Amino acid sequence: MRSTIWKICCALVIIIGVLTLTPLVIPNGVHKPELMGMPYTLWMGIGVSLLLWVVTYIGVLVHPGKND
C-alpha cells in the first residue's frame, strides 16, 4: 500500500510541475479575478505551493525507504 501511495505522490508532483508552466496557472496578462486583493497569478502560485507541500508531506510519511 505504501508503495502505491508513494508512486501516486511522485506522479502528482510531476503533473503539478507540468501544469504550473501552462497558461492554466500562469496566464499572460491576467490580473483578474482577485482574491483578497491578490491577483490571479499570485494566489494560484500560493495554492500550487501549498498543494506541493501537502503532497511532499504525504510522500515523506509513505517513503519506501523510511524504515531502513
Side-chain angles (χ1 to χ4, degrees), residues 40-68:
Y40 174 83
T41 304
L42 182 59
W43 59 262
M44 189 57 116
I46 292 170
V48 167
S49 297
L50 290 173
L51 184 60
L52 281 173
W53 182 84
V54 169
V55 172
T56 302
Y57 181 73
I58 293 169
V60 165
L61 294 177
V62 299
H63 188 273
K66 180 179 178 188
N67 296 330
D68 292 342

Side-chain angles (χ1 to χ4, degrees), residues 1-9 58-59 61-64 67:
M1 183 69 176
R2 292 178 122 195
S3 176
T4 304
I5 296 172
W6 171 251
K7 290 176 185 175
I8 291 170
C9 286
I58 293 169
L61 294 177
V62 299
H63 188 273
N67 296 330

Side-chain angles (χ1 to χ4, degrees), residues 18-46:
V18 169
L19 284 176
T20 299
L21 302 174
T22 65
L24 179 66
V25 176
I26 305 177
N28 267 343
V30 174
H31 303 292
K32 302 283 183 195
E34 290 185 354
L35 181 66
M36 296 186 297
M38 295 185 299
Y40 174 83
T41 304
L42 182 59
W43 59 262
M44 189 57 116
I46 292 170

